[in-house]
Amino acid sequence: MKASGVGLGAVILPSILSSQAADAASVSTALWIPPKLSGKVFNLKLSKGSKQIVPGALTNTYSYNGTGFWGPTLFMNKGDNVALNVTNNLTESTTTHWHGMHLPAEMDGGPMQEIKVGKTWSPKFKVMNNAATYWYHPHMHKTTQKQLALGAGGFIFVQDSIEAALALPRTYGVDDIPLALGSRTLSSSNQIGTTTIYGDTMLTNGVANATVSLPAQYVRLRILNMESERVYNLGISDGRSFHVIATDGGLVNKPIAVKRLLMSPGERYEILVDLSNNKVGSALSLKAFNKGLAFGYGGGEPAQAGQFGSLLNNNDFDVLKINVVKPTSKGIATLPTVLTKNAFPTQTQVTNSRTVAITDKGPGTPFTFDGKSYDMGTINQHVKLGATEAWTITNDEIFGHSFHIHDVQFKIVSRSSGAIPVYEQGWKDTFSIQRNEKVTFIAKFDDYSSSEWPFMYHCHMANHEDGGLMGQFLVEA
Ligand code: C2O
Ligand code: CU
C-alpha cells in the first residue's frame, strides 16, 4: 500500500536494517496518525484491505475508509446532532458500536443493529458526552474478536467548551496523539491470527516498532487498549511520572501524577508527558512494564507459546519510541492546575442496587454472567429510566476480566482488593476486575429508554465476549 510506504521522517530500526535489508524499504515504523473526519455527518465504509505491517507479504486486514488498518478519527462536538452512515463492504455481517457514548439503544450499534453485506446503517444521535477519547468498533456477536483483530476500529474525539478553554495540547498528530495499542500474531505468511488470544507483534495504530517525533514540550497521548485480552502496565522508559488528565468519559478534576497506568481492553486514558527538559535529538519510550504481572492479568502468563502464550507475555516492551524534536511555536509549557469540576453520583443518591456475577460451568467452559450465556432474545436486567444504581460485579473465577457497560459513564466507588487507583477516580465505562475481586460502581441511567432495544454489558476481552460473557439490559420509562 502506498500510504504505508516509507514517508519523510520514517525511522528504520537497526534490527530491521540488519536482518531484513532487502525488505526494509517497504516497511515504515513511523507512527501512523489516522485521518481526521469532522462535521456533523460521518461516512464510514468498512472493507477488506491490506497493509505492509512487517517485511514480506502484505497482511490482509479490515479497515474503515480504506485506511489499511483501523479507521479515521471522528471529531464530534458536544451538543451537535450527528448522523453517521456505515456501509458494510465486507463479505460478512458486522455492526459498529460507539463505545462510551450516551445515546438511544437503537443507535448504539450493539449485536442487534446488524449491518448486512452491502448495506448501510444510518444512526443519528445528539452528542451528550464530555470531551474525552471514545472509540468505535464492530460488535457482531461471535465475530467481534475476529473483526477487531483484523483492524476494524477507530477513535472518536469529543470536544466541548470546558476542554476547549484549557491550555492543553490539541494539535492533532503533533502534540495530541491517538494511540491504539494491540498486539497481533502474524503467521509465516504475515496473516493475522483472528482467534489468537495474545499477539507476538506489538502494533501501535497498526504499526510494528512504532516511532514518533514529538516536540520538547507537554504532549498529550490519548491511549486506548484495543487488545483481545492483554493489559498494559504503562510507564515511561526513564521512570518519570506523567499526568492523567482524562479517563474513559471525561476530564478528571485535576491532573493526576502517576508512574504506572494499568489499562485493560476497552479502557482509554489521556495523559500529559512533559518533554520540555528533553534535549532535541534525545529518545525515550512509552513502555509496557508487564514483567511480573500477577496471574489473572491478561498477558501476565509466563508462557511464550501455546494457547495462552506470547513472546510479549510477562515481559517489558516498548509500545512507542519517541524522538524529541524542537518545540512548536505555541507549545504548552505548563500543566493546568484545575481541569474541570465533576459531579459524580454518590451512594446517598442510589435508588437501586444489583449484583452481577462472573461465572462458569466448570473448568474449561466459557465464562458467563450469573450462569447464563449471552442470548439476544433474553433481557437480563431491567433498569428504570432516571434510576441511580449501584452495580457490584463479582469475579470468583480463575482469571481477571475487563467489565464494560453501554449507555452510561459511572464512578467506581469500591474495590474489595483495596484502594481504588488514583487514576480511576474519574468517569469510567470499562475497568479491570481481578480474581476474587468485587467492584462497585454508581451510574445514573438517564435520558434514553426503550421497551424494545436493550443496551449491553460484557467483558471487553473480545474472546470472552464472543464466548458469551455478555448480557442485555433495558432502560424502561
Ligand atoms: Cu467497546 Cu460493548 O463495547
Ligand atoms: Cu473476560
Side-chain angles (χ1 to χ4, degrees):
M1 264 193 61
K2 203 164 161 233
S4 59
V6 171
L8 286 176
V11 176
I12 304 299
L13 294 178
S15 59
I16 292 178
L17 276 180
S18 56
S19 61
Q20 306 279 359
D23 294 307
S26 60
V27 180
S28 173
T29 64
L31 180 73
W32 176 76
I33 303 292
K36 181 173 171 174
L37 288 185
S38 45
K40 294 183 188 179
V41 179
F42 298 88
N43 297 315
L44 293 173
K45 288 190 171 55
L46 180 58
S47 59
K48 294 185 183 181
S50 62
K51 181 167 175 160
Q52 188 81 58
I53 292 179
V54 291
L58 291 174
T59 299
N60 294 321
T61 58
Y62 284 2
S63 68
Y64 291 92
N65 295 11
T67 52
F69 188 97
W70 205 237
T73 300
L74 315 183
F75 281 70
M76 295 183 180
N77 296 311
K78 186 173 184 174
D80 278 1
N81 288 299
V82 297
L84 299 103
N85 300 300
V86 187
T87 302
N88 176 9
N89 286 337
L90 300 175
T91 51
E92 60 178 330
S93 282
T94 190
T95 81
T96 299
H97 165 58
W98 321 107
H99 181 126
M101 303 295 284
H102 177 51
L103 39 69
E106 195 179 345
M107 307 297 172
D108 195 37
M112 290 196 151
Q113 282 92 38
E114 181 176 352
I115 315 171
K116 294 217 160 73
V117 174
K119 294 284 187 265
T120 298
W121 176 58
S122 300
K124 289 181 172 54
F125 56 87
K126 181 173 180 178
V127 179
M128 305 275 279
N129 286 69
N130 295 323
T133 305
Y134 306 85
W135 64 303
Y136 58 95
H137 62 79
H139 213 310
M140 186 73 197
H141 186 42
K142 294 193 194 292
T143 53
T144 295
Q145 181 185 16
K146 172 192 173 188
Q147 296 183 357
L148 184 62
L150 288 170
F155 284 99
I156 302 172
F157 285 13
V158 173
Q159 312 173 111
D160 68 13
S161 57
I162 295 175
E163 190 273 345
L166 296 167
L168 288 173
R170 65 171 70 77
T171 307
Y172 183 67
V174 175
D175 61 6
D176 185 357
I177 311 289
L179 296 174
L181 309 184
S183 61
R184 295 294 184 265
T185 289
L186 299 170
S187 67
S188 54
S189 58
N190 291 346
Q191 301 314 310
I192 291 174
T194 55
T195 56
T196 314
I197 295 172
Y198 302 116
D200 288 327
T201 302
M202 178 64 214
L203 300 183
T204 302
N205 296 355
V207 175
N209 297 307
T211 303
V212 69
S213 293
L214 295 178
Q217 64 206 43
Y218 273 101
V219 296
R220 178 182 194 170
L221 306 180
R222 303 183 186 233
I223 311 169
L224 159 70
N225 180 339
M226 50 83 94
E227 283 279 352
S228 282
E229 267 198 36
R230 186 187 305 288
V231 307
Y232 290 85
N233 186 30
L234 294 172
I236 307 292
S237 51
D238 60 11
R240 74 179 64 189
S241 52
F242 52 93
H243 288 87
V244 170
I245 59 164
T247 52
D248 297 331
L251 294 165
V252 292
N253 290 344
K254 292 175 181 164
I256 300 167
V258 294
K259 288 191 171 170
R260 290 287 185 272
L261 180 57
L262 187 89
M263 292 186 66
S264 69
E267 289 188 289
R268 290 90 59 215
Y269 283 99
E270 295 182 21
I271 66 170
L272 291 186
V273 184
D274 181 8
L275 298 179
S276 60
N277 296 318
N278 285 76
K279 282 210 181 67
V280 171
S282 64
L284 67 165
S285 64
L286 177 68
K287 213 170 159 124
F289 290 92
N290 282 12
K291 201 176 182 63
L293 275 182
F295 180 79
Y297 287 96
E301 299 95 320
Q304 299 218 306
Q307 192 189 358
F308 300 106
S310 149
L311 298 177
L312 303 176
N313 276 7
N314 213 299
N315 245 322
D316 296 344
F317 55 93
D318 285 342
V319 302
L320 181 68
K321 296 183 170 65
I322 300 169
N323 292 319
V324 181
V325 297
K326 63 178 196 325
T328 61
S329 60
K330 289 195 190 117
I332 301 297
T334 52
L335 189 67
T337 50
V338 174
L339 297 168
T340 191
K341 203 162 188 264
N342 286 304
F344 298 113
T346 61
Q347 196 68 55
T348 56
Q349 295 163 352
V350 169
T351 55
N352 187 45
S353 299
R354 64 184 81 220
T355 298
V356 172
I358 301 171
T359 50
D360 71 20
K361 293 194 164 68
T365 63
F367 297 114
T368 51
F369 284 118
D370 299 314
K372 288 187 209 76
S373 189
Y374 174 67
D375 168 23
M376 208 181 279
T378 301
I379 301 299
N380 306 87
Q381 316 282 339
H382 294 261
V383 176
K384 279 208 174 60
L385 179 66
T388 297
E389 296 212 351
W391 285 45
T392 298
I393 314 304
T394 68
N395 179 22
D396 298 328
E397 290 301 319
I398 55 160
F399 205 69
H401 297 277
S402 189
F403 184 88
H404 170 52
I405 184 169
H406 292 204
D407 182 32
V408 293
Q409 291 290 331
F410 54 73
K411 178 75 163 61
I412 297 176
V413 294
S414 85
R415 280 187 173 275
S416 63
S417 56
I420 300 164
V422 284
Y423 53 80
E424 278 191 331
Q425 299 181 12
W427 291 109
K428 296 284 294 161
D429 57 47
T430 309
F431 58 83
S432 152
I433 177 165
Q434 284 316 301
R435 302 163 67 201
N436 303 315
E437 192 176 27
K438 282 191 192 10
V439 181
T440 302
F441 64 81
I442 300 178
K444 183 157 200 220
F445 295 79
D446 235 354
D447 304 311
Y448 302 116
S449 64
S450 168
S451 54
E452 183 187 357
W453 299 98
F455 291 106
M456 325 303 300
Y457 58 96
H458 58 93
C459 178
H460 218 292
M461 292 175 168
N463 52 322
H464 292 181
E465 159 184 359
D466 281 345
L469 187 46
M470 181 153 67
Q472 307 193 116
F473 67 99
L474 279 179
V475 178
E476 293 161 313

